[in-house]
Amino acid sequence: MGLLSGAPSPFTDRSDAAYQLAAELADYRGRKDVTVLGLARGGVPVAAVVAKELGAGLDALIVRKLGIPDQPEVAFGALAAHGGHTAVVMVDHIVAELRRRNYSEQRLQAVQATERAELQRRQEAYLHGRTTEVVGRTAILCDDGLATGATMKAAIKAVRQSKPREIVVAVPVGPPQTCAELEKLADAVYCLRQPRGFRAVGEAYRHFNQVSDDEVLTALPQ
């Protein structure tokens, strides 16, 4: 497993983080069996640089966080889609807490329905019906960072159904506990910064703007 100690200073932006990440993935450079998938949206700019540096194929992997209705920044789960497969992952302790707070199942299902619709919209907007084949290949899943890890877990689950030879998780930053959890699901995990006092992905970056649809489309092969 590639689990690296924290870097001494924040990343300038996603591009800076991606170049540093690509350097740690040097063993995959020039291999013909590698495909880099960026978790859309924020992971796509990272994946684009990594794919270029490694000389690998690139595409987007569509994911959606399931946010608590009155705290949408907090995920109780996530959705991911790849190759006709859709995976759902729940954050069990958060779901249990919501039930203790008397959140109805209907409210949580409504969030899922909304996010499934957005997942479908982004698949159509970004991929135009194409599916990047990963059967028997090494799939490197890139994002701009991890928090609960729910979206990455859903991504791994979705891609695993497409029968890759191995799945590699590659991110610039994430909490140590989340990285350790992902080690049990992926074949390798590369995380450049693992601060013990992790609070938010954006704190690892000097510039962390929201990624637009246009930026995703510009980065992807047409």
Side-chain angles (χ1 to χ4, degrees):
M1 295 292 174
L3 280 171
L4 309 177
S5 60
S9 61
F11 305 111
T12 301
D13 53 20
R14 289 181 178 88
S15 180
D16 175 38
Y19 280 109
Q20 294 186 44
L21 192 57
E24 297 299 335
L25 294 165
D27 287 347
Y28 299 93
R29 183 174 287 118
R31 284 176 39 178
K32 302 300 183 184
D33 66 334
V34 174
T35 299
V36 181
L37 299 174
L39 275 62
R41 295 180 177 133
V44 171
V46 177
V49 171
V50 169
K52 183 178 179 181
E53 289 295 295
L54 299 184
L58 167 70
D59 215 337
L61 178 60
I62 314 303
V63 295
R64 291 298 296 165
K65 178 175 70 176
L66 301 175
I68 298 173
D70 53 0
Q71 294 178 276
E73 72 283 358
V74 179
F76 68 84
L79 304 171
H82 182 267
H85 306 292
T86 300
V88 183
V89 167
M90 294 296 178
V91 183
D92 292 338
H93 72 277
I94 294 180
V95 172
E97 175 62 23
L98 292 177
R99 286 174 176 154
R100 282 194 293 270
R101 289 161 54 185
N102 295 319
Y103 274 75
S104 68
E105 190 65 28
Q106 288 78 7
R107 290 184 75 187
L108 301 186
Q109 289 294 332
V111 172
Q112 285 201 51
T114 297
E115 296 303 341
R116 282 182 184 276
E118 179 62 12
L119 191 81
Q120 181 65 33
R121 184 196 74 80
R122 293 192 183 192
Q123 281 187 291
E124 294 170 358
Y126 301 163
L127 304 180
H128 307 293
R130 72 174 179 270
T131 296
T132 298
E133 185 62 73
V134 297
V135 174
R137 298 177 62 80
T138 292
I140 300 179
L141 310 187
C142 287
D143 205 352
D144 52 16
L146 304 168
T148 66
T151 52
M152 185 60 78
K153 290 174 184 176
I156 293 169
K157 187 175 180 180
V159 172
R160 189 71 77 184
Q161 295 178 74
S162 296
K163 303 188 184 308
R165 186 173 67 82
E166 65 174 337
I167 292 177
V168 177
V169 170
V171 294
V173 63
Q177 180 178 348
T178 300
C179 292
E181 291 172 359
L182 290 173
E183 279 196 293
K184 301 173 184 177
L185 302 174
D187 299 291
V189 176
Y190 291 80
C191 184
L192 302 184
R193 286 174 51 86
Q194 298 181 46
R196 288 184 174 82
F198 178 92
R199 291 184 296 182
V201 169
E203 290 188 355
Y205 293 86
R206 294 191 184 97
H207 306 288
F208 193 65
N209 298 328
Q210 185 173 358
V211 176
S212 68
D213 281 353
D214 285 343
E215 288 177 273
V216 171
L217 291 170
T218 299
L220 294 176
Q222 300 301 314

